[in-house]
């Protein structure tokens, strides 16, 4: 499946979440900042640093949303690096384009409107694929999870890195209990009230509290063909930074 994807019939698209991501972008950044107390910026900083770790020439920010990881990578890069941001939500991409133009200048980042299950790129084109807070959407109870993983693997060069920053499951049962309470009693109402979209924030908080453990993510990546998988817990494991090599 990995390399033959283009020759086979087009995969199904993971449409169920699409309407939701096209409906919430207006206050998306503000809500993220409020529910993480501003820590989301720090977590993307760490991910951007990892994305640049092996001196890549081509980097993909997959599920780029409003473009923060892509912008962060361009700002940080010491040498030339071509950054592409991809998302299937035109509303998110509109914001990403405007933000990037202001932050780093017009045309510095290429934003692409596409579905992660059929990436419009050649095999092994990217040296790094970075995913900030979209990996859960691509994998958790997603009927086309295998297409998403196979596509990430296909577009990565041999030796290329996958960098994922995503919500995770704290190891300690005590912390996990508090974290799930915080999702239910704080993130859900704040997200719902500010976005006006109850369903979106119910999905986002429920999927976060049931999302895979670090070991389950590791197994999933191993089964896709990744190796040298490292995991770093952040905020007592409520969030995690995973780096894997093709
Ligand atoms: C929770 S947001 C994260 C956005 C951004 N990376 C960030 O750090 O804030 C998830 C993003 O992934 C995008 N997304 C989810 N599933 C996708 C898919 N199958 N194909 C392309 N984009 C997808 C959504 O439109 C949304 O912008």
């Amino acid at each position: 499946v990995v390399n033959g994807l283009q020759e086979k019939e087009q995969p199904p698209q993971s449409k169920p979440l699409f309407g939701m991501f096209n409906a919430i972008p207006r206050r998306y950044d503000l809500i993220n900042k409020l529910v993480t107390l501003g820590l989301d910026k720090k977590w993307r900083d760490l991910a951007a640093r990892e994305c640049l770790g092996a001196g890549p020439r081509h980097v993909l920010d997959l599920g780029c949303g409003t473009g923060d990881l892509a912008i962060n990578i361009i700002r940080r890069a010491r040498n030339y690096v071509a950054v592409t941001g991809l998302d299937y939500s035109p509303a998110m991409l509109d914001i990403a384009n405007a933000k990037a133009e202001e932050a780093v200048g017009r045309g510095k980042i290429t934003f692409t409107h596409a579905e992660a299950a059929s990436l419009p790129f050649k095999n092994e084109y990217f040296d790094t694929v970075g995913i900030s807070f979209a990996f859960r959407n691509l994998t958790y109870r997603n009927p086309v999870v295998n297409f998403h993983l196979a596509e990430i693997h296909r577009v990565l060069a041999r030796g290329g890195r996958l960098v994922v920053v995503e919500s995770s499951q704290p190891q300690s049962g005590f912390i996990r209990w508090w974290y799930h309470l915080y999702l239910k009693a704080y993130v859900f109402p704040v997200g719902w009230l500010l976005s006006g979209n109850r369903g979106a924030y119910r999905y986002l908080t429920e999927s976060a509290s049931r999302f895979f453990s670090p070991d389950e993510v590791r197994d999933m990546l191993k089964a896709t063909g990744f190796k040298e998988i490292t995991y770093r817990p952040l905020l007592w494991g409520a969030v995690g930074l995973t780096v894997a090599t093709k």
Side-chain angles (χ1 to χ4, degrees):
V1 173
V2 173
N3 285 320
L5 190 69
Q6 297 305 342
E7 290 101 59
K8 295 188 176 167
E9 63 183 74
Q10 284 296 301
Q13 305 209 340
S14 53
K15 280 288 178 207
L17 300 177
F18 171 80
M20 183 186 96
F21 281 118
N22 221 28
I24 60 173
R26 201 167 58 86
R27 293 204 173 133
Y28 175 77
D29 288 349
L30 171 69
I31 296 169
N32 276 348
K33 200 183 266 182
L34 281 175
V35 301
T36 65
L37 308 172
L39 287 172
D40 62 319
K41 185 179 172 311
K42 193 174 152 230
W43 297 329
R44 278 192 210 86
D45 284 350
L46 291 173
R49 218 175 290 158
E50 284 294 345
C51 283
L52 289 166
R57 282 183 57 79
H58 295 113
V59 177
L60 173 65
D61 174 4
L62 182 58
C64 64
T66 59
D68 284 349
L69 180 65
I71 292 170
N72 198 321
I73 291 169
I74 285 281
R75 276 190 167 148
R76 228 167 247 286
R78 294 274 163 266
N79 300 316
Y80 174 77
V81 53
V83 179
T84 303
L86 180 142
D87 207 288
Y88 69 176
S89 160
M92 288 280 190
L93 288 173
D94 282 348
I95 297 178
N97 259 309
K99 257 166 81 173
E101 190 173 330
E102 200 181 313
V104 292
R106 182 189 285 262
K108 278 278 167 65
I109 300 168
T110 306
F111 287 104
T112 302
H113 178 225
E115 154 66 43
S118 51
L119 295 174
F121 308 112
K122 288 190 294 194
N123 291 354
E124 309 197 345
Y125 182 70
F126 292 101
D127 307 300
T128 301
V129 174
I131 307 180
S132 71
F133 303 105
F135 189 74
R136 174 160 43 101
N137 311 131
L138 298 177
T139 55
Y140 179 72
R141 292 207 180 151
N142 192 310
V144 290
V145 49
N146 289 336
F147 284 103
H148 291 151
L149 293 170
E151 279 293 82
I152 293 167
H153 193 269
R154 179 183 69 78
V155 299
L156 261 178
R158 241 165 266 207
R161 307 171 101 200
L162 168 65
V163 176
V164 177
V165 62
E166 186 53 78
S167 64
S168 186
Q169 295 297 344
Q171 282 229 301
S172 146
F174 176 71
I175 293 179
R176 209 163 47 238
W177 187 86
W178 278 104
Y179 168 54
H180 292 173
L181 182 67
Y182 145 86
L183 287 169
K184 214 166 148 176
Y186 177 61
V187 180
F188 171 58
V190 169
W192 169 20
L193 287 176
L194 288 181
S195 71
N197 190 329
R198 185 172 193 268
Y201 278 87
R202 195 176 49 210
Y203 160 77
L204 287 171
T205 49
E206 279 187 12
S207 62
S209 58
R210 293 181 191 154
F211 188 55
F212 306 119
S213 68
D215 284 346
E216 286 168 326
V217 170
R218 177 189 300 268
D219 290 347
M220 194 186 296
L221 295 178
K222 238 187 198 165
T224 308
F226 287 99
K227 51 190 187 184
E228 294 161 34
I229 302 163
T230 63
Y231 173 80
R232 174 175 167 193
L234 304 165
L235 196 67
W236 301 291
V239 171
L241 183 65
T242 302
V243 181
T245 304
K246 173 169 169 182

